[in-house]
Amino acid sequence: MALDPAFLDELRARTPIAPVIGRRTKLVRSGRNWKACCPFHGEKTPSFYVYDDHYHCFGCQAHGDVITFVMQSEGRSFPEAVEELATAAGMEMPKPDPVRREQAERARTLGDVLEAVQASWQRRLYQPEGREGLAYLRGRGLTDETIAAFGLGWSGEGRGGLAAEMAALDITPAMLRDAGVMRADENGVPQRELFFNRVTFPIRDRRGRLVSFGGRILGDGQPKYLNGPETALFSKRRVLFGLDRAREAVRGGRGAGAELLVVEGYMDVIALHQAGFGGAVAPLGTALTAEQMEALWQVAPAPVLCFDGDAAGQRAAVKAAETALPLLNVDRTLRFCVLPEGEDPDSLLRRDGPAAMEALVTSARPMGQVLFGLLSEGVRNPGPEQRAALRRRLVEVAALIPDKALASEYRSTLLDSFFETFRRSGGRGGAARPMAAATPVATLDADLQRQCILSAIILEQPGVLAEVQDAYCRLELPADLAALREELLDLYDASASLPPPDELAATLSRAGLGDICQRVRAIRGRRTRGQADDDVFGTDSRHEWWHFYALLNVERFAAEVRADTERLCAGQVDEAAWQSLRTRLLALDTLRRGGNEVDG
């Protein structure tokens, strides 16, 4: 069965070759690549090298990609090897389909069409009609060698000249439409050229095959940059401009290659390559996609993302980080560097030279170090609600990482930064004065007693914190209670739970919080008007906690319960969230019936 080349490319992209080979033979790092004793012939000195998408033995000359390796090492046929790898990658094997075979054949034909168009546009750039385009490129500092190396061209005026020229090569308007260089009307009939009066940029896939074009208009027309449409050859979300050249530059002779650097546009990539940064690539006018990140990691384990220093660059960095998190593992991550505001790589190179760009790339920071700054950008002196919302977002973001150990490390790092920035630095938003140890319980105001009771319940029933932590974060507490809360949350975040009460008490005492722990317990012991705890709350400490939380602001509590009720009714059922809501509804009902109150 003939298989669709696009399916095979997707399979190779989803299947890193090193882990597959590593199951058969022990691999050791050799720069950016791997080496081993060849599994196909006996040897004592490693001569078998594994690169990002292929292997090669310098001893027996065995060579191939991940599919070839499965065939050679397991004695499987090509279809059997493909099916085994596809199953492991979660891909469904295509069924025999004459239409698919016809599409594959047409895709090969479309490649020929694109190459013919490319030859025409590249030739036009040096003819009188392309004079303006050539002047523009030279004015941007590109040499003739660079212009030729990237195959830059000029599309002409778009008045039917391309179709007429292609007709002499037996290329029809319908073929130009299918290749993505002519527009069609609503009935699919080719009407006019897509690219006209534009400098053209050939877009190639990672293997260097021409799949589409981009074009930049000269003057004030819109859009300034235009990419070809989706075709049988071209999927915008899977292709990175310049990746075919960057792969070779990053390999750089077994580990001494260039950094894989992601920037924003065609001209940035070309200017960087000309300046010696041969690992530069760019998405095609959109945010980085998961498929593009997978393609990046096929080339390097820690690509550098370089964004502009303005608000748009900040948003792009946040979006890239959020897209990457569900794909991270210990062997692949991202690094970030930020350009000076108002600069892009092209302008920075022309103004300050390659050394300035090199300094930025060298200073790129790992994602774990910059993620908190990205997610908390614009948060200044937050109140309790903003702190709780940010803390929840940090925990949710870390949970996106599928590797549990790595997710735990990110969670700890993010929350350490959170507490350092918004708690220990005075970011409590004007907390009340400390509760003096000598203050008689009877003279404390009711709200302060309730705040003490809330902390005491957690000390005596540590499991309560898992449900109430967001609400607990929102409270404005005096300094000593806030310090106790911070330590409790730190302990919880370290292992997603608190230790048993006796162990918790000892830990808090060693942290210098023994006195405040004793004080809140004493206040809880005097909290009722002669009623035993079980009279109102039974054995449910969660009900009790929500009851005293609600007493701090009954109207706010009722509004929160209403909002959560509406949210849960409108969305998917979350059993834990429903249980918490039931408990809070019960607490609200207790209040309405005149339930337990503290001494005033």
Side-chain angles (χ1 to χ4, degrees), residues 128-200:
E129 65 175 306
R131 184 181 298 113
E132 186 181 3
L134 185 59
Y136 165 78
L137 294 172
R138 288 172 173 168
R140 293 290 297 264
L142 301 186
T143 65
D144 287 350
E145 291 78 13
T146 298
I147 293 170
F150 278 87
L152 308 184
W154 177 254
S155 63
E157 295 182 351
R159 296 177 179 174
L162 179 65
E165 182 179 348
M166 294 297 106
L169 301 174
D170 294 327
I171 295 174
T172 66
M175 296 168 73
L176 294 172
R177 174 203 60 200
D178 293 345
V181 294
M182 284 195 76
R183 295 184 187 274
D185 63 17
E186 59 185 15
N187 297 316
V189 178
Q191 291 293 307
R192 64 186 188 279
E193 295 176 23
L194 177 63
F195 300 94
F196 56 90
N197 288 332
R198 290 179 183 269
V199 172
T200 58

Side-chain angles (χ1 to χ4, degrees), residues 72-96:
Q72 292 181 347
S73 63
E74 300 181 12
R76 296 184 180 274
S77 66
F78 179 78
E80 290 171 339
V82 170
E83 184 171 6
E84 177 183 325
L85 294 171
T87 299
M91 297 175 65
E92 185 176 351
M93 282 287 289
K95 298 177 181 178

Side-chain angles (χ1 to χ4, degrees), residues 433-444:
R433 59 180 172 78
M435 180 182 62
T439 305
V441 172
T443 66
L444 296 177

Side-chain angles (χ1 to χ4, degrees), residues 268-310:
D268 293 326
V269 170
I270 296 170
L272 283 165
H273 278 256
Q274 180 172 281
F277 299 88
V281 301
L284 300 174
T286 63
L288 276 171
T289 66
E291 292 86 350
Q292 288 168 336
M293 288 186 181
E294 293 283 1
L296 290 170
W297 284 318
Q298 287 282 318
V299 179
V304 177
L305 273 54
C306 185
F307 294 103
D308 296 347
D310 56 14

Side-chain angles (χ1 to χ4, degrees), residues 475-516:
L475 296 175
E476 288 287 357
L477 299 176
D480 40 12
L481 285 178
L484 174 60
R485 174 179 62 184
E486 181 177 325
E487 188 66 25
L488 287 169
L489 291 170
D490 275 346
L491 291 170
Y492 179 86
D493 289 327
S495 58
S497 64
L498 290 177
D502 291 345
E503 183 181 339
L504 177 61
T507 300
L508 294 171
S509 180
R510 288 193 295 271
L513 297 168
D515 289 344
I516 186 61

Side-chain angles (χ1 to χ4, degrees), residues 108-445:
R108 284 192 287 273
T109 303
L110 293 182
D112 296 336
V113 172
L114 290 172
E115 290 291 354
V117 172
Q118 162 64 5
S120 171
W121 286 348
Q122 197 168 8
R123 183 174 61 253
R124 292 182 186 205
L125 181 66
Y126 293 94
Q127 295 176 349
E129 65 175 306
R131 184 181 298 113
E132 186 181 3
L134 185 59
Y136 165 78
L137 294 172
R138 288 172 173 168
R140 293 290 297 264
L142 301 186
T143 65
D144 287 350
E145 291 78 13
T146 298
I147 293 170
F150 278 87
L152 308 184
W154 177 254
S155 63
E157 295 182 351
R159 296 177 179 174
L162 179 65
E165 182 179 348
M166 294 297 106
L169 301 174
D170 294 327
I171 295 174
T172 66
M175 296 168 73
L176 294 172
R177 174 203 60 200
D178 293 345
V181 294
M182 284 195 76
R183 295 184 187 274
D185 63 17
E186 59 185 15
N187 297 316
V189 178
Q191 291 293 307
R192 64 186 188 279
E193 295 176 23
L194 177 63
F195 300 94
F196 56 90
N197 288 332
R198 290 179 183 269
V199 172
T200 58
F201 302 83
I203 299 172
R204 298 184 180 275
D205 66 12
R206 67 193 189 104
R207 295 178 180 273
R209 295 171 296 196
L210 186 59
V211 294
S212 189
F213 294 98
R216 189 198 193 282
I217 199 166
L218 302 184
D220 299 327
Q222 293 295 327
K224 182 165 70 172
Y225 282 97
L226 176 68
N227 294 314
E230 300 276 316
T231 68
L233 288 179
F234 178 53
S235 173
K236 184 185 297 187
R237 64 183 298 106
R238 299 179 186 278
V239 177
L240 288 155
F241 182 72
L243 187 60
D244 57 317
R245 300 172 64 88
R247 289 171 71 225
E248 297 304 319
V250 171
R251 286 176 183 170
R254 297 185 185 177
E259 291 279 10
L260 184 58
L261 180 61
V262 184
V263 292
E264 292 192 23
Y266 300 123
M267 290 301 300
D268 293 326
V269 170
I270 296 170
L272 283 165
H273 278 256
Q274 180 172 281
F277 299 88
V281 301
L284 300 174
T286 63
L288 276 171
T289 66
E291 292 86 350
Q292 288 168 336
M293 288 186 181
E294 293 283 1
L296 290 170
W297 284 318
Q298 287 282 318
V299 179
V304 177
L305 273 54
C306 185
F307 294 103
D308 296 347
D310 56 14
Q314 175 76 20
R315 290 192 297 270
V318 172
K319 176 65 175 175
E322 291 177 339
T323 300
L325 284 165
L327 308 172
L328 294 186
N329 60 42
V330 295
D331 294 319
R332 60 189 198 181
T333 185
L334 298 174
R335 290 174 290 160
F336 290 80
C337 71
V338 179
L339 289 160
E341 189 164 358
E343 298 285 353
D344 57 36
D346 183 26
S347 66
L348 183 67
L349 285 168
R350 284 187 283 159
R351 191 189 71 180
D352 296 334
M357 191 70 208
E358 180 65 34
L360 281 175
V361 176
T362 302
S363 66
R365 299 167 61 200
M367 190 163 81
Q369 294 181 12
V370 304
L371 188 56
F372 176 77
L374 293 175
L375 297 175
S376 62
E377 179 70 18
V379 179
R380 300 288 184 270
N381 297 319
E385 292 82 7
Q386 290 77 28
R387 288 200 304 273
L390 176 59
R391 184 176 180 276
R392 176 186 294 175
R393 187 182 185 199
L394 297 177
V395 171
E396 290 173 347
V397 160
L400 294 173
I401 302 173
D403 185 303
K404 298 303 181 185
L406 185 60
S408 178
E409 290 297 325
Y410 264 81
R411 189 175 191 269
S412 297
T413 298
L414 290 171
L415 290 172
D416 284 348
S417 298
F418 171 80
F419 289 125
E420 185 68 29
T421 303
F422 296 121
R423 295 247 169 91
R424 297 179 185 126
S425 64
R428 297 187 179 86
R433 59 180 172 78
M435 180 182 62
T439 305
V441 172
T443 66
L444 296 177
D445 64 59

